[in-house]
Amino acid sequence: MYQIVNERGEYNEAALNDLNLNNELLQNMHYWMLKGRIMDQRFLKLHRQGRIGTYGPFSGQEAAQVGSALALSKTDWVVPSYRESLVSMIHGTSLKQFLSYLKGYFGGNRPPEDAKLFPIQVIIAGQVPHAVGCAWASKLKKEDSVTTVYFGDGATSQGDFHEGLNFAAVYNVPIVFFCQNNQWAISTPFEKQTTSETIAQKAIAYGMKGVRVDGNDVLACYQVAKEAIEKARKGEGPTLIEAVTYRRESHTTADDWTKYRSQEDVDAWVKKDPIVRFERFLMNKGLLTTERKEEMVKQFEEEIEKAVKDFEGTPLPPAHETFDYVYEKPHPQLLKQREEFKNRLER
């Protein structure tokens, strides 16, 4: 398993030098990881207060998301599942837009016009074939863009995952398959998902490169994602990346993790916290202080609170607008149903 920075913040100097990262990028990684953790905890509280709908937390997976997302170019496509909140924001989604999605507003899952970002996919592995199609289109159009598709370990048990990998390899499309192996597919542990020792080794069967990386090491995730993206951009084929990490919270707010895993298991992984690890590294390099972190926390809390306030000040869309999101061009029967529904509500 590839690693650059260990749990104590110690690092492989040769690997770090090969990365040739500037201080601005290192601090940007920390910016997004810390912001993501605060945002994630705030969204959990909003759900408990009944102010948003079902939410899939990602605390513990910040390094995998931030490292891979910052390796992408803005011309590259991102195809997320429901847990890639940070990836989507780094690639162009605003806090207000994401809150709109969580509240179930019409158009809340519509990506920004200027972002190469697919809508959030809730169906497990359903986004994998779509992503392969996107990458194939880029190849046919002779574009320079690469597609990265995100999914969890549970998705590797779905047929869509295997069909997607097989097609991508056969047609040599520019895509990176990024699996965040957070050890649990709702209540099913990783060892009951597969008898393979790793997810990365599944790449062998499809004739593509497979890489296993420490998903709690943001620098290692950045490095392997960057190499896979550059490989795909050169026309050298797809890569399957397995980022080994851990979901600290429940699968979603509709789930209760205490029913199927022990506190000891969670505590063991909390000691591998990706943010604590990277902060130790940054402090050792003189790029972060306790005072600076406290300032950032306050800044993020205020920014998130403002976004929530702005969002909650937005009026609810009328219910009859549901019909506007069925087809691009509505047919007469749909328009008639819309009018009947609107009239019924008004009565």
Side-chain angles (χ1 to χ4, degrees):
M1 185 164 65
Y2 186 66
Q3 182 188 76
I4 295 177
V5 181
N6 66 21
E7 295 161 30
R8 296 180 298 279
E10 300 163 345
Y11 57 92
N12 181 319
E13 192 163 353
L16 185 65
N17 290 338
D18 287 344
L19 268 175
N20 195 28
L21 299 178
N22 57 52
N23 292 343
E24 183 181 356
L25 180 54
L26 291 172
Q27 290 169 325
N28 196 30
M29 288 175 174
H30 179 249
Y31 169 93
W32 280 109
M33 290 172 71
L34 184 60
K35 184 176 183 178
R37 177 67 59 86
I38 293 168
M39 179 180 72
D40 193 56
Q41 298 305 309
R42 183 70 177 109
F43 286 166
L44 284 172
K45 290 177 182 176
L46 288 173
H47 176 268
R48 292 181 184 126
Q49 294 164 353
R51 294 160 72 182
I52 60 172
T54 303
Y55 173 63
F58 59 85
S59 285
Q61 299 181 219
E62 294 89 351
Q65 293 198 26
V66 172
S68 59
L70 290 179
L72 289 159
S73 164
K74 286 297 181 183
T75 60
D76 293 328
W77 286 94
V78 166
V79 185
S81 76
Y82 49 85
R83 208 178 300 280
E84 278 74 49
S85 313
L86 265 178
V87 175
S88 296
M89 289 189 185
I90 290 171
H91 217 60
T93 297
S94 67
L95 263 169
K96 186 176 180 180
Q97 175 74 16
F98 191 66
L99 283 163
S100 177
Y101 162 74
L102 293 175
K103 188 68 174 177
Y105 278 25
F106 306 129
N109 201 13
R110 177 187 291 158
E113 293 292 333
D114 57 345
K116 292 205 168 186
L117 184 67
F118 271 53
I120 294 167
Q121 174 64 278
V122 176
I123 298 171
I124 306 300
Q127 71 276 23
V128 176
H130 300 162
V132 175
C134 177
W136 194 24
S138 295
K139 180 178 179 178
L140 292 173
K141 294 166 74 175
K142 294 182 169 48
E143 294 176 342
D144 195 38
S145 58
V146 172
T147 300
T148 296
V149 57
Y150 291 86
F151 47 90
D153 46 294
T156 65
S157 296
Q158 299 287 337
D160 287 342
F161 166 80
H162 298 279
E163 292 161 8
L165 264 68
N166 189 59
F167 193 102
V170 170
Y171 287 89
N172 195 41
V173 301
I175 190 169
V176 176
F177 298 95
F178 197 92
C179 176
Q180 293 180 85
N181 180 1
N182 64 19
Q183 312 305 311
W184 290 91
I186 310 184
S187 58
T188 304
F190 173 66
E191 59 268 21
K192 290 188 178 179
Q193 286 289 337
T194 178
T195 55
S196 300
E197 286 188 24
T198 71
I199 288 171
Q201 73 191 67
K202 295 180 186 291
I204 298 170
Y206 300 104
M208 68 174 69
K209 184 177 180 180
V211 182
R212 196 166 191 251
V213 63
D214 184 343
N216 287 353
D217 177 357
V218 66
L219 296 182
C221 289
Y222 175 85
Q223 174 69 353
V224 299
K226 190 170 184 291
E227 288 179 356
I229 291 162
E230 290 175 353
K231 177 175 175 288
R233 207 184 307 282
K234 292 175 185 175
E236 296 174 1
T239 301
L240 171 62
I241 296 172
E242 176 191 3
V244 181
T245 181
Y246 194 77
R247 164 172 57 82
R248 289 173 55 164
E249 302 287 347
S250 293
H251 172 71
T252 70
T253 46
D255 170 45
D256 180 3
W257 67 261
T258 63
K259 302 294 184 185
Y260 54 82
R261 64 185 186 187
S262 68
Q263 186 65 54
E264 291 75 20
D265 183 44
V266 176
D267 291 344
W269 277 93
V270 167
K271 291 177 182 177
K272 303 176 184 180
D273 189 299
I275 297 177
V276 173
R277 177 190 306 199
F278 194 52
E279 286 177 348
R280 286 171 179 160
F281 166 80
L282 291 175
M283 287 178 178
N284 289 337
K285 300 281 285 182
L287 297 173
L288 180 68
T289 62
T290 303
E291 293 75 20
R292 175 56 186 148
K293 181 184 174 180
E294 289 172 354
E295 291 172 6
M296 292 172 72
V297 169
K298 183 180 178 183
Q299 173 196 328
F300 294 148
E301 288 175 342
E302 290 174 353
E303 180 185 343
I304 293 164
E305 198 54 45
K306 183 179 183 303
V308 171
K309 187 176 180 180
D310 289 348
F311 165 72
E312 292 187 329
T314 305
L316 281 165
H320 63 262
E321 281 190 11
T322 307
F323 295 88
D324 298 341
Y325 295 91
V326 181
Y327 299 105
E328 182 183 8
K329 295 179 181 178
H331 53 72
Q333 186 180 5
L334 188 72
L335 292 173
K336 183 181 178 182
Q337 291 173 351
R338 183 185 191 277
E339 196 61 27
E340 285 177 358
F341 183 65
K342 181 181 177 183
N343 291 337
R344 182 173 298 180
L345 291 174
E346 290 173 350
R347 288 198 303 270

